[in-house]
Amino acid sequence: MTRTTLLTAAFGLGVLTLATIHAQPNAKGGRLSAMDYIQINQLINRYAYAVDTGADQGGMYAGLFAADGKFLQRGGVAIAGREALAALGYRTSRGPQSVFHYLMSHAIEPTPDGNARGKEELVQFVIGDNGEPSRVFGGGHYDDIYERTTDGWRFSQRQFIPSQSGYELALPTTDVPELHKISNAPVASTTMTASDYIEIQQLLARYPYALDTGQRKGQMWVDLFTKDGMFGTSQGQEALLKIAWQHRPGQGPSYTRNFPQSVVITPTREGATGKMLTYVIDVGEGQGKPSTILHGDHYEDTYVRATDGWRIKHRTVYTKKPGTDAGAGLPALRVPVRVAKDPNGGAAFKGLAVEDYLDIQQLITTYPMALDTGAGEGDVFAGLFTLDGVFVAGADKHQGHEDLKKFGWGHRPGQGPLYVRNYSTNPWIEPSPEGATGKVYALVLDLGDKDAPNRIIGGGHYEDVYVKTAQGWRIKRREFIPSKTVVPPRQNGAAAAPSTSR
């Protein structure tokens, strides 16, 4: 087998090891720095914008691949070469405001040759405009091989695997590797290093793959917890194994159902706590049946650094509920905590250090939960902005702390500690003379209570400006741009349609 074939085979079941993060960004031998993880993640986030908008007539899409990089379509047909990849990236684009590819749960692993491989989940949402309804188009995951080039990290190979249920649909694979030990250093303060944040993110990125696919009859999911870990009220390896292996009949190596995202990590003296949003979708397979949004929730987590690395100590699932009195005992959201300077973080990339990216990520992931819950009577939401910060959505504009606080507390009546409505993915962060700019995909769901149906209200993306203040990175300006389909002219005059091939 070739190196590419071996990596694809080993990766088919969708399980990655948790690898140590080292400060050797140019070293061979399977090591990645914290900055490598950041840059690979930014490559992924650029992909969504490139393929949805067709920027530079597909040139942006093609530029994400290495010189000999390729995209594998269904059936294994390879698209390679800049011209062919540009045509693929432009073929089904729907205009500069279009959003379609929502990516999350990006798990990354170094490879022995100094490069990396990865997986991330995909949900394709058709956001209706001009009065058309929104719907789930499809979903699944990508299998990737990344190459370190002179221009930075690029795709060596990318393949989309649509969600499919059942073990009889298993792809050729090797056995699933065990989780690697990460670190044994004690947590002695409420400040974490950049590597701590990234290692917890990587732990959580593996969670949906382990749960949905049932790897090693559920043991892979169990291994994400401590030996005495708890999921809800179930505690210990044996109890967790029953949940992982028997929770649904659809499991298989390509099965995708849980889509967690937007993790906010807060250091504690014992380790860390976390909040993250999720939705569960029954993805229609092969376009033969409709996809259904089953429910939306958020997780409340406790993480500890065990002898075998960072693990989940306790995870509780809270289903969305309206009302300001629902779950009043839950802790309030906190403004992101600054990460410690990390000697293993790697050098700055285009003027932004690892810590800058992580701080901005914390702003982005805190935003939807602060907006939905009205935490601190809107003060947490307003605190994500500078004192003169502004939020714009069409003709609606809110500027300054008091105005933003009022908006964060009273913009809709359903708010409460368990309220879930806004989701954010694909944060693309770029340095700027002022600090940084960003693009973030947004999705708004109406998660029905009791027997009310779940529906997609809308979606689009945010255009952001971030600045570093004495309190850390803050949003100076955020504008919501609703998704709009404006199909660019094609050479053959044919209108484009969404495709699950990429």
Side-chain angles (χ1 to χ4, degrees):
M1 282 186 165
T2 65
R3 176 179 70 88
T4 297
T5 305
L6 283 169
L7 286 173
T8 303
F11 206 54
L13 279 181
V15 180
L16 293 157
T17 61
L18 286 177
T20 307
I21 298 176
H22 292 281
Q24 298 187 23
N26 296 313
K28 298 292 183 179
R31 294 182 176 183
L32 296 176
S33 72
M35 184 56 83
D36 287 325
Y37 282 87
I38 292 290
Q39 291 182 19
I40 294 171
N41 183 254
Q42 286 296 296
L43 173 72
I44 292 298
N45 292 338
R46 284 164 173 76
Y47 183 94
Y49 296 95
V51 73
D52 288 346
T53 67
D56 189 27
Q57 296 188 335
M60 179 183 177
Y61 179 86
L64 300 177
F65 289 79
D68 59 350
K70 56 187 175 183
F71 181 88
L72 298 182
Q73 295 185 307
R74 294 193 186 195
V77 177
I79 304 297
R82 184 172 178 82
E83 185 175 343
L85 287 168
L88 177 66
Y90 190 59
R91 185 181 67 196
T92 57
S93 58
R94 303 188 303 158
Q97 287 184 215
S98 173
V99 300
F100 183 57
H101 289 72
Y102 287 76
L103 302 172
M104 60 215 76
S105 299
H106 186 195
I108 303 168
E109 183 180 58
T111 56
D113 61 358
N115 291 308
R117 61 182 186 173
K119 294 180 73 71
E120 64 280 344
E121 293 185 311
L122 166 70
V123 182
Q124 295 164 312
F125 290 104
V126 175
I127 306 299
D129 54 12
N130 298 320
E132 293 294 322
S134 300
R135 59 191 173 90
V136 180
F137 184 80
H141 73 270
Y142 288 109
D143 278 358
D144 295 337
I145 302 172
Y146 312 114
E147 180 179 335
R148 196 195 310 269
T149 74
T150 55
D151 297 320
W153 285 98
R154 295 293 187 269
F155 291 108
S156 175
Q157 179 175 298
R158 158 157 279 205
Q159 181 175 16
F160 173 60
I161 309 295
S163 178
Q164 299 178 79
S165 60
Y167 273 92
E168 70 278 4
L169 297 172
L171 301 174
T173 62
T174 60
D175 195 15
V176 178
E178 296 297 322
L179 295 174
H180 286 180
K181 178 179 177 180
I182 299 177
S183 174
N184 245 343
V187 176
S189 70
T190 55
T191 302
M192 294 164 57
T193 68
S195 293
D196 289 324
Y197 277 88
I198 291 173
E199 287 168 4
I200 292 174
Q201 288 174 356
Q202 286 298 300
L203 171 73
L204 299 177
R206 287 153 174 77
Y207 184 95
Y209 303 111
L211 182 62
D212 290 341
T213 64
Q215 291 304 310
R216 290 185 282 122
K217 297 185 177 180
Q219 189 61 49
M220 192 239 174
W221 185 75
V222 174
D223 287 345
L224 301 178
F225 292 79
T226 60
K227 298 298 182 184
D228 60 347
M230 294 181 65
F231 180 82
T233 58
S234 298
Q235 184 172 19
Q237 301 275 295
E238 185 175 347
L240 293 176
L241 192 60
K242 290 181 180 178
I243 295 174
W245 181 234
Q246 300 175 3
H247 75 296
R248 67 180 60 92
Q251 290 172 315
S254 300
Y255 190 59
T256 308
R257 179 183 175 106
N258 287 271
F259 298 92
Q261 57 204 268
S262 298
V263 59
V264 177
I265 300 168
T266 303
T268 66
R269 291 193 177 278
E270 295 76 25
T273 59
K275 284 177 174 284
M276 63 189 307
L277 302 177
T278 185
Y279 44 71
V280 181
I281 297 178
D282 182 11
V283 178
E285 299 173 14
Q287 309 298 309
K289 66 176 183 178
S291 299
T292 304
I293 302 172
L294 300 179
H295 54 85
D297 316 290
H298 84 265
Y299 297 133
E300 297 275 353
D301 294 342
T302 301
Y303 316 115
V304 296
R305 193 189 282 114
T307 56
D308 51 355
W310 281 99
R311 296 293 184 267
I312 302 170
K313 175 78 171 177
H314 190 191
R315 165 161 284 189
T316 303
V317 182
Y318 293 96
T319 300
K320 172 258 180 182
K321 291 181 181 179
T324 55
D325 60 344
L330 289 177
L333 290 170
R334 296 175 59 184
V335 175
V337 177
R338 289 285 297 168
V339 298
K341 288 294 181 181
D342 187 358
N344 294 334
F349 176 63
K350 295 183 177 179
L352 294 177
V354 168
E355 294 79 16
D356 295 320
Y357 282 100
L358 292 174
D359 273 2
I360 295 171
Q361 284 178 7
Q362 289 282 81
L363 283 177
I364 292 168
T365 55
T366 301
Y367 182 95
M369 287 180 271
L371 182 62
D372 288 342
T373 65
E377 297 187 355
D379 195 61
V380 172
F381 175 79
L384 301 176
F385 291 79
T386 60
L387 292 178
D388 62 346
V390 59
F391 172 76
V392 179
D396 194 17
K397 179 179 178 180
H398 301 275
Q399 185 168 17
H401 187 87
E402 290 304 315
D403 192 17
L404 289 168
K405 179 179 178 180
K406 185 183 298 184
F407 176 70
W409 176 238
H411 73 296
R412 66 179 62 93
Q415 288 176 314
L418 300 184
Y419 193 65
V420 179
R421 178 184 174 105
N422 286 272
Y423 292 84
S424 298
T425 59
N426 305 359
W428 173 9
I429 302 166
E430 290 279 2
S432 71
E434 190 174 18
T437 59
K439 292 177 181 286
V440 183
Y441 273 22
L443 179 72
V444 185
L445 301 179
D446 181 10
L447 298 167
D449 302 308
K450 299 180 180 179
D451 296 328
N454 300 319
R455 62 190 181 94
I456 304 167
I457 297 177
H461 75 274
Y462 296 116
E463 297 273 357
D464 294 343
V465 176
Y466 315 111
V467 295
K468 185 181 289 187
T469 72
Q471 292 74 39
W473 283 92
R474 294 293 184 268
I475 302 170
K476 185 174 181 61
R477 177 182 171 84
R478 165 162 279 197
E479 182 175 4
F480 174 66
I481 310 295
S483 180
K484 186 176 182 180
T485 301
V486 182
V487 179
R490 310 293 166 180
Q491 292 182 352
N492 61 6
S499 169
T500 57
S501 65
R502 41 192 179 84

